[in-house]
Amino acid sequence: MIPVQGLQGARVAILGLGRSGLSAARALVAGGAVPVCWDDNPAAREKAQAEGFECLDLLKSRAFADVARLIVSPGIPHLYPAPNPVIMAAQDAGVAVDNDIGLFFQSFATKGWDNFDQMPKVIAVTGSNGKSTTSALIHHILEYAGRPTQLAGNIGRGVLDIDPAIDGEVVVLELSSYQTDLARNLTPDVAVFTNLSPDHLDRHAGMGGYFAAKRRLFAEGGPDRAIIGVDEAEGRFLAGQLSEGAADDRVIRVSVDRKLAGLGWNVFARKGFLAEMRNGKQVASIDLRKVEGLPGSHNHQNACAAYAACRTLGFAPKVIEAAFHSFGGLPHRSQTVGELRGIRFVNDSKATNVDSAVKAVAAFQNIRWICGGLEKEGGLGDLAKPLETVRKAYVIGREAAQFAMKLGVEAEVCGTMDVAVARAVAEAEAGDVVLLAPAAASFDQYDSFERRGDDFIAQVQKFL
């Protein structure tokens, strides 16, 4: 646990008592603060009270009279699509609003570090797609190289649940826009921006607000190194804002769309080969085509970002390359489930938006594509175009018929996962890939993308 520093003796309100809320309450107590908790769900309040935490309706009169700070769980919208009344009440009372990420950065460094030979570091990863794989890949490379490391944030453990840092340790954090948007302290040593595509637009009132939430990781904290995916206009804009000039190697640009030239520090992948360029000269190259755990250009982008992050720590290219080959990938992200009669089954249930689904589809050939679910704001966009690698789509979800009509490929309305898998297996031939890449949220049929992926695996297992 990371005890919260700087709030000893203070009353701190907590809104939302899920994993991050309860974790924050425990860390506040460990640091000598007094948490005051609230959640609209009575069961959540009962759980908090069972741990001895005080619960108080934060909308009651003078609830914030003696409160030093309000800690908000990431799942609670604060401004859009409508202002949250508790957060507005706190701000009206002059109470600072924060989250567990802000508490972490406020509290991570301690006086004990004065005795360390090598200062601990934090690498924070954000972006629309690939941040989980990139974070896990960085963590894996560090473990492979024998460097002490912990993985936390939007993946693994909550940020305040990790152990206090030891000499030379590197903490890798995956941070969503929900987490970066409210944190009052954002001070990573290395910050990574993978890419940007439409997602969570209602929460951020459009693409501008969504990008602004991601940008805070770089603008508020001023990391020593910034690794920026520049295949979208927003990434190029961000890199330009952070850089002092063409030769400024504090900004490392990453691409899988084109070769990056110039005097700066660039890492890009073309035709399956990763290249590192510094001062206009190539200093390393890795053949990513042979890395089974990172298939497709979207995973090559993740590899470039992770490579760049580890290079800033001084790791040799050969060490990073060797670690790539032992990386098994993450569940529900281009995860090979098995093979049958030459047919490969791949679970990419995490492809919950159009951009991630298009990239997943582009990673394979002869695809029997299972897609559909709760369509996100912004529509299906690129899915209406012909997708050359797709032989046929098998559509699930409550609105499967409407979803299927918007696709640019032959589609069969299946409705449920069991029907979709059965139909795909019946029609697939040797060399085909049955791919789950929904391009939609899961909440019309499942309570998470993990449950959807687990169902896909269960249905596939019936045939293996």
Side-chain angles (χ1 to χ4, degrees):
M1 179 186 294
I2 305 294
V4 172
Q5 299 184 51
L7 291 169
Q8 186 174 8
R11 284 171 64 83
V12 179
I14 297 176
L15 178 62
L17 297 173
R19 184 186 74 166
S20 67
L22 287 175
S23 173
R26 298 179 192 117
L28 284 161
V29 169
V34 180
V36 181
C37 305
W38 185 253
D39 193 299
D40 290 338
N41 185 344
R45 297 198 299 271
E46 289 176 7
K47 185 175 180 180
Q49 289 170 328
E51 290 195 38
F53 298 126
E54 176 188 354
C55 287
L56 173 68
D57 187 345
L58 297 175
L59 286 178
K60 284 188 174 181
S61 176
R62 297 187 57 77
F64 288 101
D66 58 351
V67 167
R69 196 175 301 183
L70 171 64
I71 306 302
V72 181
S73 295
I76 298 175
H78 55 280
L79 187 56
Y80 303 109
N84 183 284
V86 172
I87 296 174
M88 293 300 106
Q91 291 173 333
D92 288 343
V95 173
V97 178
D98 203 349
N99 61 15
D100 62 328
I101 305 300
L103 293 179
F104 167 82
F105 280 110
Q106 172 181 322
S107 309
F108 183 53
T110 67
K111 291 182 179 179
W113 290 17
D114 293 340
N115 301 317
F116 289 168
D117 293 326
Q118 189 175 15
M119 288 296 101
K121 292 183 180 292
V122 175
I123 299 176
V125 181
T126 195
S128 295
N129 301 311
K131 56 185 180 291
S132 293
T133 297
T134 299
S135 301
L137 183 55
I138 295 169
H139 178 64
H140 173 76
I141 296 167
L142 291 165
E143 286 188 319
Y144 180 89
R147 188 79 173 260
T149 181
Q150 297 183 75
L151 179 64
N154 207 42
I155 186 174
R157 290 186 287 173
V159 291
L160 294 172
D161 288 331
I162 69 171
D163 300 323
I166 63 174
D167 198 333
E169 188 164 37
V170 180
V171 173
V172 184
L173 301 181
E174 178 197 338
L175 299 180
S176 70
S177 60
Y178 294 178
Q179 293 169 310
T180 58
D181 206 10
L182 273 185
R184 297 181 69 85
N185 292 279
L186 285 168
T187 53
D189 299 279
V190 180
V192 180
F193 177 88
T194 59
N195 51 58
L196 196 78
S197 62
D199 209 354
H200 311 304
L201 299 187
D202 57 339
R203 173 73 175 260
H204 298 292
M207 281 293 287
Y210 181 45
F211 175 54
K214 300 286 189 184
R215 181 182 174 277
R216 290 190 77 247
L217 181 62
F218 303 84
E220 301 293 327
D224 296 332
R225 299 280 189 182
I227 298 159
I228 311 294
V230 294
D231 288 338
E232 294 87 30
E234 291 87 353
R236 292 193 290 275
F237 178 81
L238 180 59
Q241 282 196 314
L242 297 173
S243 175
E244 293 293 337
D248 186 354
D249 67 359
R250 295 173 304 168
V251 177
I252 306 174
R253 292 169 171 83
V254 167
S255 176
V256 290
D257 280 354
R258 63 191 185 283
K259 178 179 179 179
L260 298 176
L263 297 177
W265 194 349
N266 301 308
V267 179
F268 59 88
R270 296 186 70 202
K271 298 180 179 179
F273 285 86
L274 180 154
E276 178 187 0
M277 305 287 290
R278 300 190 72 172
N279 300 317
K281 297 180 180 179
Q282 181 170 313
V283 297
S285 177
I286 296 175
D287 185 355
L288 297 174
R289 299 172 303 173
K290 299 178 181 179
V291 181
E292 293 184 1
L294 297 167
S297 64
H298 61 308
N299 276 312
H300 293 174
Q301 183 181 58
N302 301 333
C304 287
Y307 174 93
C310 292
R311 288 288 282 150
T312 68
L313 300 178
F315 292 112
K318 289 295 184 182
V319 172
I320 300 173
E321 180 178 8
F324 280 171
H325 285 282
S326 60
F327 181 66
L330 290 178
H332 312 295
R333 299 161 177 87
S334 298
Q335 174 192 11
T336 295
V337 175
E339 293 191 11
L340 173 70
R341 302 192 310 270
I343 304 164
R344 182 179 177 185
F345 297 87
V346 178
N347 167 27
D348 204 333
S349 184
K350 185 62 171 64
T352 59
N353 59 42
V354 170
D355 184 69
S356 57
V358 168
K359 289 177 178 177
V361 165
F364 304 98
Q365 297 293 323
N366 304 319
I367 295 172
R368 303 286 175 172
W369 178 30
I370 299 176
C371 59
L374 188 62
E375 186 177 334
K376 291 191 172 181
E377 185 177 349
L380 297 186
D382 289 342
L383 297 187
K385 304 173 184 177
L387 300 172
E388 295 180 357
T389 61
V390 175
R391 299 188 66 180
K392 184 176 177 180
Y394 305 82
V395 186
I396 63 173
R398 293 179 184 173
E399 305 296 332
Q402 296 180 23
F403 198 100
M405 292 175 62
K406 300 176 183 178
L407 300 178
V409 298
E410 179 187 355
E412 179 177 337
V413 176
C414 297
T416 58
M417 188 70 73
D418 58 336
V419 175
V421 171
R423 293 293 300 139
V425 170
E427 297 185 348
E429 302 171 352
D432 286 356
V433 174
V434 177
L435 170 68
L436 171 65
S442 61
F443 303 122
D444 59 335
Q445 292 181 312
Y446 306 91
D447 60 10
S448 67
F449 73 84
E450 292 95 341
R451 290 289 180 87
R452 177 171 58 191
D454 289 342
D455 190 17
F456 172 75
I457 293 171
Q459 300 306 324
V460 169
Q461 290 293 345
K462 294 178 180 179
F463 296 92
L464 296 182

